[in-house]
Amino acid sequence: MINIAILGFGTVGSGVYEIVRQNGENLKKKINNDIDIKYILDIRDFSSHPESKLFVKDFDIIANDPEVDIVVEVIGGLSPAYDFTKAALAAGKHVVTSNKELVATHGTELFELAEKNGVNYMFEASVGGGIPLIRPLMQCLAANNITEIYGILNGTTNYILTQMIKKNKSFEDALSDAQAMGYAERNPAADIEGHDACRKICILASLAFGRHIDCDNIYTEGITKISLDDVKYADALGCVIKLIGYACTYGKDKVFARVSPMLVPVSSPLAGVDDVFNAILVNGNFVGEVMFYGRGAGKLPTASAVMADVIDIAKDVSVQKRMTWKKAETDIALDINDSESVMFVRIKADDIESAKKKVITAIPGAEFVCANLLDGEIAFLTPKQTEKSLNNALATLDGVVSVIRVKQD
Amino acid sequence: MINIAILGFGTVGSGVYEIVRQNGENLKKKINNDIDIKYILDIRDFSSHPESKLFVKDFDIIANDPEVDIVVEVIGGLSPAYDFTKAALAAGKHVVTSNKELVATHGTELFELAEKNGVNYMFEASVGGGIPLIRPLMQCLAANNITEIYGILNGTTNYILTQMIKKNKSFEDALSDAQAMGYAERNPAADIEGHDACRKICILASLAFGRHIDCDNIYTEGITKISLDDVKYADALGCVIKLIGYACTYGKDKVFARVSPMLVPVSSPLAGVDDVFNAILVNGNFVGEVMFYGRGAGKLPTASAVMADVIDIAKDVSVQKRMTWKKAETDIALDINDSESVMFVRIKADDIESAKKKVITAIPGAEFVCANLLDGEIAFLTPKQTEKSLNNALATLDGVVSVIRVKQD
């Protein structure tokens, strides 16, 4: 018998409960053992729940019960999830989590603690909801050096951008829609400012490149400045605007990660990823491009990913999986200023010809695009250069309306 | 030290050789052990190869060498791959294969033989080239009952259809192009008649549903009858035509599998899968829709998938993976006649109104579409019905030009 304890009976926690209760027979077959929920920890009152006897408010009951094999931490946030996770691992219990903030912030320490105690700390559900990602990256692409990752990692912003692109709604209206649909929080900053995507690309990049990249070292730009005019230009260029979590290796020892809106050519499989769907495009040196697509959030998709980890552990609780990363010994993150980009730029221009001259002087090789799309402005694509040199050049120009990075084919 | 033997030094075999030689250090880190190629079996002469000493022509040398841990069978076809695989498994060696024909035909027996001998028979590379599929299906979606699979499983036909859709080329011209590009064989029947896709959906369906489905029980229709007129209608309906390997569960005990062209709505992520790329869309009862996308063939992508299996085994050669299926005790395959479809139908019609009346009489609920798209014919969508009843009804109509199944949203 495998006993699990669920920490947090919110959206994901109740989804895990539902899957175990609905699909128990099937799970039993897959793990060749009985599996049951022994405790559910939640500070709220669930005394009228049909299985109210499972609910506890004191974490020590779980930590001290030797019958608990796997702790499912789906509380979210750092506190008290961090302390509970450390205590569970120290007590020799496997921990499975959907908590991206905790994995991105303290993953390295928690992996070490798990290893020391002969257990696993697993986090498939922390990125991409139900989309299989961690095992494909670590096992199926194991023969490859992963060189690049492009991810649509946040469903809320992808829904907003899709509404702007397909329904011609303003950012503000699309955000209100997303809130009305329950896709965005009343305080939407974590989504629209890119922080959620930042944690996810932090996890993916750390895993793919084997060493931890600190979220603080990941340049993060949200979608709040994207306008319908930008969407119109993107369309004229055969692109759509997506919020992209990007990571790549750089030279021999460096890695680079960034979250920002990008112009994505419609020929890219990422361009067709709409609404709240997520997708992660990975480039491996042997396999080429592969992409994983699905629902990046939601009760049952996320719980499905949690249960994948639970099943994997439950098949043999004595096995350590090693789907982790190490602490970076040196500063491995390339600074955004030293990274290279192609930028799409719009600037105000009363006098088109003189404005163009200034652009060419500031940025030799700039390519003007979408002539006359909007009155009183010009638009151009820069050559690929370091962001430092591009920003220095752009600082010499007046009336910059918008600057968006461009995904190269 | 883990020793592998490669059977067949063709495209995939030389790719496996290349990955081991190029990426050896990385592989060593991943498996925590040295890995090397001890033999390469090929009947051709490789005496001028830089590592000619590795080449053997006698399989018994490999089968009888206790130092060989893993046999990589990338010969393809049934003979001699079937005999070699049985002998290797019987000799207690793990076998990794890219051979879809062998897995689809004799997989059940070979899994049993592997289990009896305490080894693994693994086949990630047999479907979808380098796209991670087998582990995601078996491990990451383990909590789900998989209800449906839609796969673009054959790059050749997808290239041909993409040329027809995007470049307005006829089937014959697109096929010639595919042959010129090396995407299609001189005898292209296995691809264009759907047999290759049939083996792949056989493997996916058997794995997803746990019991073997015989290829002979999978209705298979290729793309040879698809015309540019069909493509034009599809476009008018907001669809593209794709060759789809489809499988689903049916009722309590039955499963259904089929290969046929389908009209796929452009809103589906499958619609954007172009050229030689493959994609597999899976529906799980908890996770919803997830899709896997990438290169479905080619030397290094396929070798990358072979090496994923090799690495997985090499990490601990004593572990049995159980990513297999069982023999079906009863006939589990639903007959195509009993399956339900929506069909798109074009018929010749000199007198439009009288033709429409006949259609409505034969198929109540038929919905006429794309009026006047082509002179002298009408087109309609049928209601969802068993194929038997639809075919009986269509048999009463004169001048049927084409019939294509429609993927429902």
Side-chain angles (χ1 to χ4, degrees), chain B residues 72-93:
Chain B
V72 172
E73 186 274 297
V74 286
I75 307 171
L78 294 183
S79 176
Y82 179 43
D83 289 336
F84 288 173
T85 300
K86 282 194 291 188
L89 293 171
K93 300 180 189 316

Side-chain angles (χ1 to χ4, degrees), chain B residues 335-381:
Chain B
D335 189 88
I336 181 82
N337 284 307
D338 298 325
S339 73
E340 292 188 327
S341 289
V342 170
M343 308 251 198
F344 163 79
V345 184
R346 290 166 54 201
I347 58 172
K348 291 273 172 218
D350 293 331
D351 176 346
I352 301 287
E353 286 316 308
S354 105
K356 281 188 173 180
K357 268 185 205 151
K358 278 184 199 157
V359 167
I360 289 296
T361 308
I363 306 171
E367 179 197 348
F368 296 99
V369 293
C370 309
N372 308 322
L373 188 81
L374 286 185
D375 282 344
E377 63 176 70
I378 58 173
F380 59 91
L381 296 170

Side-chain angles (χ1 to χ4, degrees), chain B residues 41-61:
Chain B
L41 178 86
D42 202 295
I43 49 167
R44 292 166 298 177
D45 176 36
F46 285 95
S47 55
S48 59
H49 189 279
E51 296 201 70
S52 58
K53 65 181 193 326
L54 298 180
F55 285 81
V56 296
K57 293 190 195 316
D58 177 5
F59 175 69
D60 287 344
I61 297 171

Side-chain angles (χ1 to χ4, degrees), chain A residues 34-61:
Chain A
D34 281 316
I35 185 163
D36 204 6
I37 300 167
K38 185 152 187 191
Y39 301 106
I40 301 173
L41 179 86
D42 203 296
I43 49 167
R44 292 166 297 176
D45 177 35
F46 285 95
S47 55
S48 58
H49 189 279
E51 296 201 69
S52 58
K53 65 180 194 324
L54 298 181
F55 285 83
V56 296
K57 292 192 195 316
D58 177 5
F59 175 69
D60 288 343
I61 296 171

